[in-house]
Amino acid sequence: MMSNAFAIAETGMKAFQAHVDTIANNVANSRTPGFKSARVEFHELLEAAPAAPGPAALPAMLGVAARTRTADFSAGHLLPSTSELDIAIDGPGFIPVLAPDGTRAYSRGGALHVTDSGTLALAGGELEPRIYVPAGGGALHISAEGVVAARTAQGLQEVGRISLAQFPDPGALRLLGNGLAAPAEGAGPPTIGAAGREGAGRIVQQSLEDSNVDVTRELVSLMAAQRAYALNAKVLQAADGLVASANELMK
């Protein structure tokens, strides 16, 4: 039983350390455009129930563990920008991008740039479908519906359209970093279509989406997590004291 006390306290300390680390990352990125806050969910660790029927067959709790972090994809405030290559989404939806490893990922926007091959890209990868900007083209104009036009000697020339993807449960997406998310179990298949249609948000040029981190809420959660970590440490100390007392009695 005493070994169980050590194990339970250890799992609690590890779980709440992961919780503190997640909160710290949220606070550190509270001013990062497009950043989505994350939270840690906890679940009980149970040992297998005995084979005997009756009340003795109930499983015993062996501690707690932190599940994989889940993201809060609620929208942040839109911040005006002076760059024509900054884009944000006003409403639901994600911009599909082709990540460097060849997989498809999803972004809420950010600073666009033109790659060496002439395609438009965000920090996480090229827009998908690809949009090619003509060499020597001037300023870009991006409509609320995602239509991208480049200014040429002949005037504005449409070069492509930014599509938006919607998921049945966007909260089930998995954060990849660099402003990207990937589908995970429960997110459902994406529906890809034009911006501003069928419930999708609209593209806003010269804007960036602010982080959705609520610093006050995060600091309150941090205090609670630190207190829970300290309580688990006291359980560990108490168990150690009981073992020491038992050893003294056996001498």
Side-chain angles (χ1 to χ4, degrees), residues 191-202:
T191 300
I192 299 177
R197 298 180 185 175
E198 300 180 357
R202 298 164 67 86

Side-chain angles (χ1 to χ4, degrees), residues 21-89:
D21 292 343
T22 300
I23 295 171
N25 186 61
N26 289 342
V27 174
N29 287 281
S30 61
R31 302 308 302 169
T32 301
F35 180 81
K36 300 302 179 185
S37 61
R39 65 182 184 275
V40 171
E41 296 180 354
F42 301 95
H43 66 99
E44 296 175 348
L45 297 176
L46 302 175
E47 70 175 350
L58 294 175
M61 182 176 175
L62 292 181
V64 64
R67 287 182 176 175
T68 304
R69 295 187 310 164
T70 58
D72 173 12
F73 283 99
S74 60
H77 297 293
L78 296 189
L79 305 175
S81 166
T82 58
S83 173
E84 66 179 20
L85 293 178
D86 289 342
I87 60 171
I89 303 172

Side-chain angles (χ1 to χ4, degrees), residues 99-169:
D101 61 0
T103 60
R104 178 182 283 180
Y106 299 88
S107 171
R108 284 286 295 175
L112 291 168
H113 66 274
V114 181
T115 67
D116 294 338
S117 58
T119 60
L120 276 181
L122 289 165
E126 294 178 303
L127 302 191
E128 194 177 29
R130 288 185 172 93
I131 299 175
Y132 289 89
V133 178
L140 293 179
H141 178 269
I142 304 173
S143 73
E145 292 73 33
V147 177
V148 181
R151 187 169 298 281
T152 66
Q154 291 74 36
L156 283 177
Q157 175 187 342
E158 184 176 329
V159 295
R161 180 189 290 267
I162 299 174
S163 300
L164 291 185
Q166 297 187 82
F167 291 86
D169 182 10

Side-chain angles (χ1 to χ4, degrees), residues 144-244:
E145 292 73 33
V147 177
V148 181
R151 187 169 298 281
T152 66
Q154 291 74 36
L156 283 177
Q157 175 187 342
E158 184 176 329
V159 295
R161 180 189 290 267
I162 299 174
S163 300
L164 291 185
Q166 297 187 82
F167 291 86
D169 182 10
L173 293 174
R174 176 170 52 92
L175 291 174
L176 300 178
N178 212 14
L180 296 180
E185 185 178 356
T191 300
I192 299 177
R197 298 180 185 175
E198 300 180 357
R202 298 164 67 86
I203 303 295
V204 183
Q205 189 177 16
Q206 289 189 306
S207 288
L208 290 172
E209 184 179 1
D210 196 9
S211 164
N212 68 351
V213 174
D214 184 335
V215 176
T216 301
R217 183 177 62 184
E218 296 294 336
L219 292 178
V220 171
S221 297
L222 178 61
M223 289 187 288
Q226 288 174 327
R227 179 58 60 88
Y229 183 92
L231 289 174
N232 278 278
K234 287 183 178 180
V235 171
L236 193 64
Q237 292 172 352
D240 181 61
L242 290 174
V243 170

